[in-house]
Amino acid sequence: MSNRNNRKILVLGIDGMDQRITKKLLDEGKLPNIRKYLERGSSREELDMLGAVPTITPPCWTTLATGAYPGTHGITCYWRQSPNSLDAVVYNMDSRNCTAEQIWNVTSEAGMKTLVWHWPGSSWPPTSDSPKLSVVDGTQPGSVNMGIAQMDWEKIIFASKSQKELTYLPRVEKPAGVGCIITDLDALIPNEDDEMMEIWWGDAARKGGEIRTYCHGLDDSELIIGARVAYDVVTSPITEAAKWANAPEGAFEFTILISGGTVRRPALILRNASGVYDTVQIFRNRKSEEPIVTLKQGEMVSYIIDDATKNGETKKSCRSYKLLELKPDGSELRLWISNALDISNDMLWHPQTLLAEVISNVGAVPPVSLIGGEDEELAREIFLPSWETYNKWQADSLKYLIDNGGYEAVFSHLHNVDCAGHQFWHLAKNLEPWSYTDENAYRKLIDKVYIQTDRYLGEFLKYLDEGWTIFIVSDHGLLVGENVPPDIGEYGGLNIGVMQELGYTVMKKDDNGNQIDEVDWEKTRAVQIRSNYVYINLKGRDAHGIVDPADKYDLEGQIISDLYNYREPRTGKRVIGIAMRNRDSRVLGLGSPECGDIFFTIDEGYNRLHGDGLTTARGTYDTSVTPVFIAAGSGIKQHHTTDRTVRQVDVAPTISTLLGVRVTKQCEGAPIYQIIEEE
Amino acid sequence: MRSLDTEAFDDLIYDEEKNALILFHRNGCGVCEEVVTTLEPLEEDYPDVVFGEVDVETENDLFSRFGLNGVPQVILFSEGNPVSTLSGRKDDEDYENALESLIGE
């Protein structure tokens, strides 16, 4: 089949972009590039689109790609239910789990050169052998190569003339509410190096290994874990420079330890013509003629290639640096170093030569920071600028490939909004568990994230004049919670709290009567696992089933009733939104065996950032979980708003209609005819 | 084997970037003595590798920097980077294989 309309399609996916706050900031004049897209295109008045449920990244991106609901395409949450254990999940960002056809297979089959860029829903590995199809990563939502190329973690170096010893503390966790100043060092708590990247997205996970996460309450929730500030800490003395091949007069030196503390990088502190110490230079060693990097206070420097060593393997890796603070007399400083990304790891690039092409023409993948959270200074000074750099790299990479690679269909995803959301969105309302944070400071950061996203989107405006149709879409929004969420509905694993209180889930105890992390399957009638699913522990189906199939229907009814009657202890209010049997959940596009025996949502007002409620849920500070939809360019009505309800399942068939290619095989949506220009 | 304090270690490994085999040990550790006995004859066979020893009791900061949980530990370095670690008492061939791999890099 040919591409009969000679159009080109660019999908700009922004993970976590919320229609409601986008509209607010747009009306305030803060998103000028989105305004330009709207002038050249169509949307609903409020920019909204109905998302699939669960409002979770892989299901929703897969719905956007296939035009099918999660019950049909089979990607029903961040994780997949383990086929062997009711209390375990397995990796789910694997295209081989997807039972619906992706639109990029259709476009490549139609002869269009197609690029799928970091799409975290059923894109990797490629499911078409078409030579027209290129795919980059898609195995995790964060940033390109983040799951497989990490060589060394983020660090903060505290150097001082009063510091006596050089020390290295891995993955230090800063206690809640503590600021980030040099005198706080004693409050830092060393933490186990949990290698979360490996556990969630590493080789073992991708091969289907079971992951057991027991969520007992708020402390196990992502709101708390995601906002934790943990980095490697290096403390170093500052002394007069000695033994250097080339150290200017008056220079001081300090030491940085990288690669898990096993490799040294010496650094000089230099003064300017006025005698003020204002520059730091980091060297490979004291005999080096040239520094690896030169830093001035407040400027982030990226794309620095240095060796990083992990498990005995040394790789050229890309890092960023920022000098957070340097006293004018050179006596104290704080310096951030990003994680290190191996620049040669092309295992998630198809074809693999694409990575080298991007590196030589644009640059190596710049690492994004994953620290910030409750430390507002780090969120502002490190997290956001690191994403700004990454966004520009991604825009430049996509533009390079579009301009030089002959691509005609591009499906891309950017994660800055969602990543920021999981770090600090909830801090924009000053609830009791994080009462020491400043909600106004975090509200300003939310605005900055959207303004940053608008800059990214602006990079692609030129393609509207080059015959492209551009879609701006998201999977879900993130809301700022009105209340602390209940102990049910956490997407990461098994939710014990409410189900234990209701008597359905029973945990074992040790000899001293203390509860342990092991389900007592002989007494457990049902469990709640992942974002929205309850499973009956059924005889003949589940490994340790105790519920007779004849009793299943009545038990489901009882659980649904108990969930509705449950009252949240802090407020005394109902917190369950809707609850229904698996068969009934087909009305929401669910209803497959992967969708539990009962589907439920958390009611508005008690939601987490996203995932546990309906796609229409709203939060404080004009936030919502509702995704965004804007289309512009060739074939799209200009400056047009439609009353037509736009659903995520409609995006793929609309693309098919615009391009004149067939619809995806399992498509359940319909083209948004109301925004398409009459030809 | 050269006895190294932290400063001499840093100079040798990071500034001079020598190929090196470093034994982290503690006085009075019997297993450490056995490793020394094994390593000493190898020193002549590998003239391009510096053999050094670090007493972790006097050089405690190196012990903690490398996250070592005990002694003896042998770490081989190339161009300022650790390339392999052998914990405890290993067979003679293990040290030889590690040295071969080091000079082959």
Side-chain angles (χ1 to χ4, degrees), chain A residues 179 217 393 500:
Chain A
W393 171 84
Q500 186 174 37

PDB file of all heavy atoms in Angstrom, chain A residues 179 217 393 500:
ATOM      1  N   GLY A 179      18.352  20.582  54.792  1.00  0.00           N
ATOM      2  CA  GLY A 179      18.831  21.364  53.663  1.00  0.00           C
ATOM      3  C   GLY A 179      20.132  20.799  53.126  1.00  0.00           C
ATOM      4  O   GLY A 179      20.663  19.821  53.643  1.00  0.00           O
ATOM      5  N   GLY A 217       2.415   0.658  53.380  1.00  0.00           N
ATOM      6  CA  GLY A 217       1.784   1.941  53.663  1.00  0.00           C
ATOM      7  C   GLY A 217       2.527   3.054  52.950  1.00  0.00           C
ATOM      8  O   GLY A 217       3.278   2.806  52.006  1.00  0.00           O
ATOM      9  N   TRP A 393      19.180  17.826  23.401  1.00  0.00           N
ATOM     10  CA  TRP A 393      19.861  16.725  22.703  1.00  0.00           C
ATOM     11  C   TRP A 393      18.847  15.883  21.934  1.00  0.00           C
ATOM     12  O   TRP A 393      19.068  15.520  20.775  1.00  0.00           O
ATOM     13  CB  TRP A 393      20.632  15.852  23.695  1.00  0.00           C
ATOM     14  CG  TRP A 393      21.170  14.605  23.066  1.00  0.00           C
ATOM     15  CD1 TRP A 393      22.342  14.483  22.367  1.00  0.00           C
ATOM     16  CD2 TRP A 393      20.556  13.310  23.030  1.00  0.00           C
ATOM     17  NE1 TRP A 393      22.489  13.195  21.903  1.00  0.00           N
ATOM     18  CE2 TRP A 393      21.405  12.453  22.290  1.00  0.00           C
ATOM     19  CE3 TRP A 393      19.364  12.793  23.542  1.00  0.00           C
ATOM     20  CZ2 TRP A 393      21.107  11.103  22.066  1.00  0.00           C
ATOM     21  CZ3 TRP A 393      19.062  11.454  23.314  1.00  0.00           C
ATOM     22  CH2 TRP A 393      19.933  10.627  22.585  1.00  0.00           C
ATOM     23  N   GLN A 500      -5.505  -6.035  54.117  1.00  0.00           N
ATOM     24  CA  GLN A 500      -5.252  -6.735  55.385  1.00  0.00           C
ATOM     25  C   GLN A 500      -6.294  -6.285  56.420  1.00  0.00           C
ATOM     26  O   GLN A 500      -6.852  -7.098  57.153  1.00  0.00           O
ATOM     27  CB  GLN A 500      -3.844  -6.409  55.864  1.00  0.00           C
ATOM     28  CG  GLN A 500      -3.422  -7.188  57.092  1.00  0.00           C
ATOM     29  CD  GLN A 500      -1.962  -6.925  57.445  1.00  0.00           C
ATOM     30  OE1 GLN A 500      -1.456  -5.811  57.306  1.00  0.00           O
ATOM     31  NE2 GLN A 500      -1.274  -7.945  57.907  1.00  0.00           N
TER      32      GLN A 500
END
